[in-house]
Amino acid sequence: MKYVSIDIETTGLKPEACQILQIGAVIEDTLNPMPLESLPRFNCIVEHDEYTGQPTALTMNSWILKILSGLENLSKEERLDYRKTHNIMPVGIVAKSFAMWLISNGILPTESNAPVKINAAGKNFASFDKIFLQMLPGWSSAIQIRQRIIDPAVLFMDWQQDSALPNLNECIRRAELEGTVTHDAVQDALDVIRVIRAATNNYHKPHAKD
């Protein structure tokens, strides 16, 4: 099975008022798990006309806002080069570009002009990332997310001790992996794949006990 691990960084928690700042996605093939550095990845910083948000999110993602602020006072030609260097996309083309990336990596629509249908993975994806993504211009006509989402938290739940699902940092710790959540969307998407691989023995079924 192929699935797409997706993470976003935003200006806040309210999809109706806040904006996506960065989208990171990584394609995983459970039948052919390649080295992490070889996995196809999508990365873009999203350009909007205006930005509104909440202090914690704006502070956390200040490095993205600094990159976006670099577009100011540039000529048209300089802006083109700057966008290319920093993977910046105007919000209006993000959904179409993401769909084209999926298609170019072998995730094809079932019929002509149909949305690309994907299996999605991500921490809190169903209750957060998906809602923001579906508000992007043209998203629903370009991409369809299957109803069942892969959330790694359930794989690392301590059913005796936990009062809530563990966050991604705790999943990384319980998987005995190095690193912590970086709040860079691509790295966080990769971390989701890392912990899923660890929890599933790299997708190999354990031998049945005698």
Side-chain angles (χ1 to χ4, degrees):
M1 181 187 77
K2 287 186 177 180
Y3 68 84
V4 187
S5 177
I6 306 174
D7 187 75
I8 65 172
E9 300 299 328
T10 69
T11 61
L13 302 177
K14 301 176 180 179
E16 69 280 2
C18 300
Q19 294 81 40
I20 296 176
L21 291 175
Q22 185 194 20
I23 301 173
V26 183
I27 296 174
E28 171 76 313
D29 185 348
T30 63
L31 297 179
N32 182 33
M34 299 186 297
L36 290 172
E37 61 271 15
S38 301
L39 295 177
R41 59 188 70 187
F42 177 91
N43 179 26
C44 79
I45 290 175
V46 185
E47 180 185 0
H48 302 265
D49 292 333
E50 295 182 347
Y51 302 88
T52 58
Q54 298 163 301
T56 299
L58 293 171
T59 301
M60 183 184 301
N61 295 311
S62 60
W63 66 276
I64 304 175
L65 293 167
K66 184 176 181 180
I67 291 172
L68 287 164
S69 69
L71 285 165
E72 297 177 3
N73 303 317
L74 296 179
S75 67
K76 184 177 180 180
E77 292 74 18
E78 289 172 333
R79 280 174 173 252
L80 290 173
D81 289 339
Y82 189 85
R83 287 191 180 99
K84 185 176 180 180
T85 298
H86 295 284
N87 299 315
I88 300 172
M89 290 185 192
V91 65
I93 69 169
V94 170
K96 184 176 180 180
S97 298
F98 187 59
M100 290 174 63
W101 171 76
L102 292 168
I103 292 169
S104 69
N105 283 284
I107 301 179
L108 306 176
T110 55
E111 56 187 65
S112 179
N113 298 321
V116 182
K117 186 179 290 188
I118 62 172
N119 299 305
K123 187 68 182 72
N124 298 324
F125 181 85
S127 61
F128 185 79
D129 307 64
K130 182 181 177 182
I131 298 170
F132 270 90
L133 290 168
Q134 289 176 330
M135 297 185 73
L136 289 172
W139 179 271
S140 60
S141 61
I143 299 149
Q144 181 180 349
I145 299 170
R146 287 188 170 92
Q147 184 176 2
R148 296 174 180 86
I149 308 297
I150 304 168
D151 190 323
V154 71
L155 300 173
F156 292 92
M157 183 73 176
D158 183 334
W159 299 98
Q160 304 300 318
Q161 300 295 327
D162 289 341
S163 58
L165 288 166
N167 61 26
L168 185 54
N169 266 329
E170 183 61 18
C171 291
I172 292 171
R173 188 190 70 80
R174 292 181 185 183
E176 299 181 350
L177 298 171
E178 295 183 356
T180 58
V181 172
T182 62
H183 299 293
D184 173 85
V186 176
Q187 184 57 53
D188 291 352
L190 280 168
D191 282 339
V192 166
I193 292 175
R194 287 204 304 147
V195 298
I196 292 174
R197 285 185 177 188
T200 60
N201 191 28
N202 221 32
Y203 313 113
H204 292 297
K205 199 170 183 180
H207 295 295
K209 293 182 179 180
D210 294 333

mmCIF file of all heavy atoms in Angstrom, residues 11 17 19 47-52:
data_model
loop_
_atom_site.group_PDB
_atom_site.id
_atom_site.type_symbol
_atom_site.label_atom_id
_atom_site.label_comp_id
_atom_site.label_asym_id
_atom_site.label_seq_id
_atom_site.Cartn_x
_atom_site.Cartn_y
_atom_site.Cartn_z
ATOM 1 N N THR A 11 -0.586 29.598 10.769
ATOM 2 C CA THR A 11 -0.471 30.810 11.588
ATOM 3 C C THR A 11 -1.287 30.707 12.870
ATOM 4 O O THR A 11 -1.245 31.605 13.707
ATOM 5 C CB THR A 11 -0.932 32.053 10.809
ATOM 6 O OG1 THR A 11 -2.316 31.884 10.452
ATOM 7 C CG2 THR A 11 -0.094 32.262 9.554
ATOM 8 N N ALA A 17 -9.862 31.455 10.058
ATOM 9 C CA ALA A 17 -9.218 32.761 10.215
ATOM 10 C C ALA A 17 -7.716 32.723 9.954
ATOM 11 O O ALA A 17 -7.122 33.762 9.665
ATOM 12 C CB ALA A 17 -9.462 33.293 11.624
ATOM 13 N N GLN A 19 -3.956 30.829 8.316
ATOM 14 C CA GLN A 19 -3.470 30.374 7.017
ATOM 15 C C GLN A 19 -2.436 29.249 7.162
ATOM 16 O O GLN A 19 -1.720 29.173 8.168
ATOM 17 C CB GLN A 19 -2.816 31.536 6.243
ATOM 18 C CG GLN A 19 -3.758 32.652 5.840
ATOM 19 C CD GLN A 19 -4.014 33.617 6.977
ATOM 20 O OE1 GLN A 19 -3.119 33.968 7.731
ATOM 21 N NE2 GLN A 19 -5.258 34.042 7.094
ATOM 22 N N GLU A 47 2.254 31.243 -0.021
ATOM 23 C CA GLU A 47 2.172 32.714 -0.037
ATOM 24 C C GLU A 47 0.709 33.161 -0.084
ATOM 25 O O GLU A 47 -0.061 32.724 -0.931
ATOM 26 C CB GLU A 47 2.917 33.244 -1.265
ATOM 27 C CG GLU A 47 2.905 34.748 -1.401
ATOM 28 C CD GLU A 47 3.554 35.218 -2.683
ATOM 29 O OE1 GLU A 47 4.015 34.375 -3.477
ATOM 30 O OE2 GLU A 47 3.573 36.449 -2.893
ATOM 31 N N HIS A 48 0.341 34.032 0.840
ATOM 32 C CA HIS A 48 -1.004 34.607 0.895
ATOM 33 C C HIS A 48 -0.909 36.122 0.741
ATOM 34 O O HIS A 48 0.163 36.725 0.917
ATOM 35 C CB HIS A 48 -1.666 34.279 2.238
ATOM 36 C CG HIS A 48 -1.773 32.819 2.528
ATOM 37 N ND1 HIS A 48 -2.903 32.078 2.238
ATOM 38 C CD2 HIS A 48 -0.891 31.949 3.100
ATOM 39 C CE1 HIS A 48 -2.712 30.820 2.618
ATOM 40 N NE2 HIS A 48 -1.509 30.720 3.147
ATOM 41 N N ASP A 49 -2.049 36.741 0.454
ATOM 42 C CA ASP A 49 -2.072 38.207 0.383
ATOM 43 C C ASP A 49 -1.910 38.820 1.765
ATOM 44 O O ASP A 49 -1.259 39.864 1.930
ATOM 45 C CB ASP A 49 -3.388 38.689 -0.241
ATOM 46 C CG ASP A 49 -3.488 38.330 -1.713
ATOM 47 O OD1 ASP A 49 -2.429 38.199 -2.362
ATOM 48 O OD2 ASP A 49 -4.621 38.163 -2.197
ATOM 49 N N GLU A 50 -2.520 38.172 2.773
ATOM 50 C CA GLU A 50 -2.436 38.659 4.149
ATOM 51 C C GLU A 50 -2.300 37.479 5.095
ATOM 52 O O GLU A 50 -2.679 36.348 4.764
ATOM 53 C CB GLU A 50 -3.696 39.462 4.523
ATOM 54 C CG GLU A 50 -3.875 40.748 3.735
ATOM 55 C CD GLU A 50 -5.110 41.518 4.171
ATOM 56 O OE1 GLU A 50 -5.945 40.927 4.901
ATOM 57 O OE2 GLU A 50 -5.243 42.692 3.798
ATOM 58 N N TYR A 51 -1.765 37.759 6.295
ATOM 59 C CA TYR A 51 -1.571 36.707 7.301
ATOM 60 C C TYR A 51 -2.184 37.165 8.620
ATOM 61 O O TYR A 51 -1.942 38.283 9.072
ATOM 62 C CB TYR A 51 -0.073 36.415 7.490
ATOM 63 C CG TYR A 51 0.616 36.006 6.214
ATOM 64 C CD1 TYR A 51 1.159 36.962 5.361
ATOM 65 C CD2 TYR A 51 0.698 34.665 5.844
ATOM 66 C CE1 TYR A 51 1.772 36.598 4.174
ATOM 67 C CE2 TYR A 51 1.310 34.289 4.659
ATOM 68 C CZ TYR A 51 1.843 35.259 3.824
ATOM 69 O OH TYR A 51 2.433 34.891 2.645
ATOM 70 N N THR A 52 -2.975 36.283 9.205
ATOM 71 C CA THR A 52 -3.513 36.528 10.544
ATOM 72 C C THR A 52 -3.288 35.268 11.358
ATOM 73 O O THR A 52 -3.246 34.160 10.814
ATOM 74 C CB THR A 52 -5.019 36.833 10.499
ATOM 75 O OG1 THR A 52 -5.711 35.737 9.873
ATOM 76 C CG2 THR A 52 -5.300 38.102 9.712
#
